[in-house]
């Protein structure tokens, strides 16, 4: 059995910590077993290791998340990288062709697909294992894992079993996506289950579907046609069209930490970062990623979150509306993690001469090489705050240490060797032809880290 974990999303519900570059699964706001902050993806991967499933697991993701995944769970984690962001059907299709034509998996191999960020107990993954047996016993084409509802939620999809199903597994008759409370109550009376987003199939089943739809089943060929795949969820494209579906129920602990009110219930700590949360605040959480203190006094049931992307103060019950409100923001992420470290935008402005000026604080990991060539439209000034390194600037070797200031001309060729962890301030000035958003994004591709 192979497990494919889907890691996508562009984090709007947990704004301002999550953004287009850092989705919710990477936020280190949960309290681990050793009393350290950990992310959802770190928690899930450690659970997979504990039940001996990590060896057969792969993560399907997009290029912008590769560095963060490798930083948080290791450089050797097997990845299937989408050439562009689509939706869950294209991602699952690409994973299936990878298993078939790259790894050489058998057509009878059972493949389980699940989100990378469920908040569950280890027993949940033991139940995922049972989907393999269910496929063989039921002779169904798809096997789903449903969650036994604890209340008539309007946030989840529901799977309704056929009448008279009383076995250890059930056949699914119909689906309802996020029904109103009254309908949800009726569905629960019919023994409906919440849709956990977990499903399994035999590899040959999905490859046959791809062929029927006119798409290649060879991985590298599908990569070339990836942009032609429909931008649609697997549920809509496959599950709701399939008649032979069986399901298992899971009544253990399961939670979707997709909003601030659900996430803070599981954080295990009320304050993260610099600031004061006064003792008179009941069920209030403070998360501060800024270098300035935030003080919260006399408010209950509130989330206060501050990051370089913005500041949020919200009643927790109203926090699900955040996604709709921030849709109006057209803002490039101001904090990103990369394989070489991370950067934070401190300031960006338009100078009087019409040029864009962006100031960033960069943290660079020890033991790596950072390479970049400045474009002809931009110059930079570096101020080394801490750490030691060596800079090869147009073939000249320069020692770097705290207090060193460097002026880097346009088109300079840079190679920075970080001998220790380093922090530097970079002030970038670009001509008016270059948009500020492009200056903010320039760290996505022209640098690399090579361990030595």
């Amino acid at each position: 059995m192979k497990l494919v974990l889907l890691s996508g999303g562009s984090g709007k519900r947990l704004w301002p910590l999550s953004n287009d570059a850092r989705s919710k699964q990477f936020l280190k706001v949960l309290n681990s077993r050793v009393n350290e902050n950990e992310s959802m993806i770190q928690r899930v991967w450690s659970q997979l290791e504990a039940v001996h499933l990590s060896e057969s697991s792969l993560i399907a993701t997009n290029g912008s998340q590769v560095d963060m995944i490798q930083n948080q769970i290791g450089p050797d984690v097997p990845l299937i990288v989408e050439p562009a962001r689509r939706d869950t059907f294209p991602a699952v299709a690409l994973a299936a062709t990878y298993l078939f034509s790259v790894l050489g998996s058998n057509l009878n191999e059972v493949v389980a697909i699940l989100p990378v960020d469920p908040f569950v107990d280890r027993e949940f993954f033991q139940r995922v294992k049972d989907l393999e047996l269910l496929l063989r016993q039921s002779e169904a084409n798809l096997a789903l894992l449903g969650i036994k509802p604890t209340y008539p939620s309007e946030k989840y999809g529901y799977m309704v079993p056929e009448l008279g199903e009383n076995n250890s597994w059930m056949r699914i008759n119909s689906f309802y996506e996020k029904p109103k409370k009254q309908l949800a109550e009726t569905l629960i009376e019919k023994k409906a289950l919440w849709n956990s987003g977990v499903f399994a199939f035999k590899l040959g089943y999905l490859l046959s579907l791809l062929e029927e739809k006119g798409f290649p089943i060879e991985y590298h060929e599908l990569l070339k046609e990836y942009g032609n795949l429909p931008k649609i969820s697997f549920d809509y494209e496959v599950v709701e069209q399939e008649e032979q579906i069986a399901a298992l129920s899971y009544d253990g602990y399961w939670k979707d930490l997709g909003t601030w009110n659900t996430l803070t219930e599981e954080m295990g700590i009320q304050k993260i970062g610099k600031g004061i949360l006064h003792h008179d605040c009941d069920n209030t959480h403070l998360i501060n990623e800024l270098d300035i203190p935030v003080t919260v006094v006399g408010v209950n049931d509130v989330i206060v979150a501050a990051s370089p992307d913005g500041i949020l103060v919200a009643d927790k019950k109203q926090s699900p509306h955040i996604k709709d409100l921030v849709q109006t923001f057209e803002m490039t992420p101001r904090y990103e993690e990369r394989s070489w470290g991370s950067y934070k935008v401190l300031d960006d402005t338009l100078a009087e001469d019409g040029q864009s000026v962006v100031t960033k604080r960069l943290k660079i990991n020890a033991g790596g090489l950072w390479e970049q060539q400045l474009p002809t439209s931009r110059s930079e000034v570096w101020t080394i705050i801490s750490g030691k390194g060596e800079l090869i600037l147009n073939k000249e070797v320069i020692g770097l240490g705290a207090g060193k200031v460097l002026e880097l001309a346009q088109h300079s060729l840079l190679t920075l060797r970080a001998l220790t962890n380093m922090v530097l301030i970079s002030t970038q000035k670009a001509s008016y032809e270059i948009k500020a958003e492009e200056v903010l994004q320039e760290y996505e591709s022209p640098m690399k880290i090579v361990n030595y």
Side-chain angles (χ1 to χ4, degrees), residues 246-290:
L248 293 176
S249 66
Y250 175 73
D251 57 5
Y253 198 78
W254 177 89
K255 201 168 190 179
D256 176 18
L257 305 186
T259 59
W260 279 115
N261 55 336
T262 55
L263 177 59
T264 53
E265 289 173 354
E266 305 296 343
M267 279 177 52
I269 186 172
Q270 282 190 271
K271 181 179 80 71
I272 297 176
K274 185 179 294 186
I276 297 173
L277 185 62
H278 198 258
H279 62 78
D280 66 351
C281 296
D282 183 38
N283 190 34
T284 288
H285 286 73
L286 167 63
I287 305 173
N288 183 17
E289 294 187 332
L290 303 178

Side-chain angles (χ1 to χ4, degrees), residues 8-189:
S10 56
K12 299 295 186 184
R13 290 186 178 89
L14 296 177
W15 185 89
L17 267 63
S18 63
N19 55 37
D20 286 339
R22 181 173 56 157
S23 301
K24 67 176 182 177
Q25 60 264 35
F26 302 111
L27 304 180
K28 293 185 178 181
V29 294
L30 300 176
N31 203 28
S32 72
R33 294 176 181 269
V34 294
N35 203 31
E36 295 179 351
N37 289 344
E38 69 176 358
S39 66
M40 301 178 198
I41 194 172
Q42 287 175 317
R43 186 177 189 272
V44 165
W45 196 258
S46 66
Q47 290 174 317
L48 290 173
E49 290 177 330
V51 297
H52 308 293
L53 282 175
S54 59
E55 299 87 352
S56 57
S57 298
L58 306 92
I59 298 178
T61 187
N62 55 71
S64 66
Q65 296 187 356
V66 169
D67 287 348
M68 284 179 285
I69 292 173
Q70 293 178 335
N71 286 345
Q72 294 196 6
I73 60 179
D76 299 324
V77 59
L79 300 177
I80 304 168
V81 183
E82 298 175 276
R85 282 186 176 179
R86 303 295 289 170
D87 209 321
T88 54
F89 171 69
V92 172
L94 189 65
T97 62
Y98 182 87
L99 292 172
F100 174 64
S101 63
V102 177
L103 297 188
S105 296
N106 189 282
L107 293 178
N108 286 319
E109 178 83 71
V110 172
V111 181
I113 308 293
L114 59 156
V116 78
D117 55 4
F119 192 82
V120 293
D121 293 329
R122 289 181 186 175
E123 290 73 19
F124 177 83
F125 298 101
Q126 296 287 0
R127 194 62 166 158
V128 172
K129 288 182 180 181
D130 295 337
L131 293 177
E132 180 171 14
L133 180 60
L134 174 60
L135 276 176
R136 306 194 190 283
Q137 286 181 337
S138 65
E139 297 184 350
N141 289 324
L142 287 173
L144 310 183
L145 184 59
I147 308 300
K148 189 174 181 180
T150 54
Y151 67 101
S153 172
E154 299 180 4
K155 297 187 301 180
Y156 306 129
Y158 287 73
M159 309 184 299
V160 183
E162 292 183 359
L163 294 176
E165 292 281 355
N166 292 305
N167 302 321
S168 58
W169 57 273
M170 59 190 72
R171 293 194 182 275
I172 299 301
N173 179 56
S174 58
F175 296 87
Y176 289 85
E177 185 64 23
K178 299 179 181 178
K180 296 297 183 182
K181 182 179 179 181
Q182 185 174 357
L183 176 56
E185 291 174 343
T186 302
L187 295 175
I188 292 175
E189 292 176 359

Side-chain angles (χ1 to χ4, degrees), residues 203-434:
L203 183 57
Y205 165 76
L206 193 62
L207 296 178
S208 296
L209 282 181
L210 286 177
E211 288 183 312
E212 289 175 10
K213 295 175 183 294
F215 293 106
I217 61 173
E218 200 280 328
Y219 171 72
H220 294 289
E221 292 300 318
L222 189 62
L223 274 178
K224 297 176 184 177
E225 295 192 28
Y226 197 74
N228 296 326
L229 286 169
K231 193 172 185 180
I232 191 172
S233 72
F234 191 88
D235 281 353
Y236 287 138
E237 182 71 7
V238 179
V239 178
E240 295 189 9
Q241 313 303 321
E242 178 58 56
E243 295 181 355
Q244 299 300 318
I245 301 177
L248 293 176
S249 66
Y250 175 73
D251 57 5
Y253 198 78
W254 177 89
K255 201 168 190 179
D256 176 18
L257 305 186
T259 59
W260 279 115
N261 55 336
T262 55
L263 177 59
T264 53
E265 289 173 354
E266 305 296 343
M267 279 177 52
I269 186 172
Q270 282 190 271
K271 181 179 80 71
I272 297 176
K274 185 179 294 186
I276 297 173
L277 185 62
H278 198 258
H279 62 78
D280 66 351
C281 296
D282 183 38
N283 190 34
T284 288
H285 286 73
L286 167 63
I287 305 173
N288 183 17
E289 294 187 332
L290 303 178
D291 296 324
I292 57 175
V294 175
T295 301
V296 185
V297 181
V299 290
N300 301 327
D301 305 312
V302 165
I303 173 65
V304 179
S307 85
D309 282 351
I311 297 173
L312 169 72
V313 180
D315 183 303
K316 289 182 180 179
K317 293 180 180 178
Q318 300 299 318
S319 64
H321 300 301
I322 291 171
K323 179 180 179 179
D324 297 329
L325 296 175
V326 301
Q327 296 285 12
T328 59
F329 296 170
E330 294 184 5
M331 188 174 180
T332 301
R334 300 172 69 87
Y335 172 85
E336 292 195 48
E337 294 180 18
R338 295 294 175 194
S339 60
W340 46 268
S342 63
Y343 76 82
K344 180 188 299 184
V345 177
L346 303 178
D347 183 72
D348 67 276
T349 188
L350 192 65
E352 292 182 357
D353 58 4
Q355 296 200 355
S356 171
V357 180
V358 178
T359 303
K360 299 180 179 181
R361 180 185 182 95
L362 289 87
K363 294 182 179 180
I364 305 171
N365 299 328
L369 292 178
W370 172 36
E371 298 178 345
Q372 180 188 18
Q373 182 165 17
L374 298 184
T376 56
S377 58
R378 192 180 80 238
S379 61
E380 296 190 16
V381 176
W382 286 5
T383 303
I384 311 303
I385 304 300
S386 62
K388 295 182 179 181
E390 292 179 343
L391 175 66
I392 301 175
L393 176 59
N394 301 325
K395 299 183 179 181
E396 178 186 358
V397 180
I398 302 171
L400 300 180
K404 185 80 172 181
V405 178
L406 295 168
E407 293 187 9
L408 308 175
Q410 298 171 350
H411 212 256
S412 295
L413 182 62
L414 317 173
T415 301
L416 172 61
R417 183 194 301 271
L419 302 178
T420 68
N421 290 335
M422 295 184 66
V423 176
L424 65 88
I425 302 296
S426 168
T427 300
Q428 307 166 356
K429 190 172 184 179
S431 62
Y432 65 89
E433 291 91 351
I434 304 298

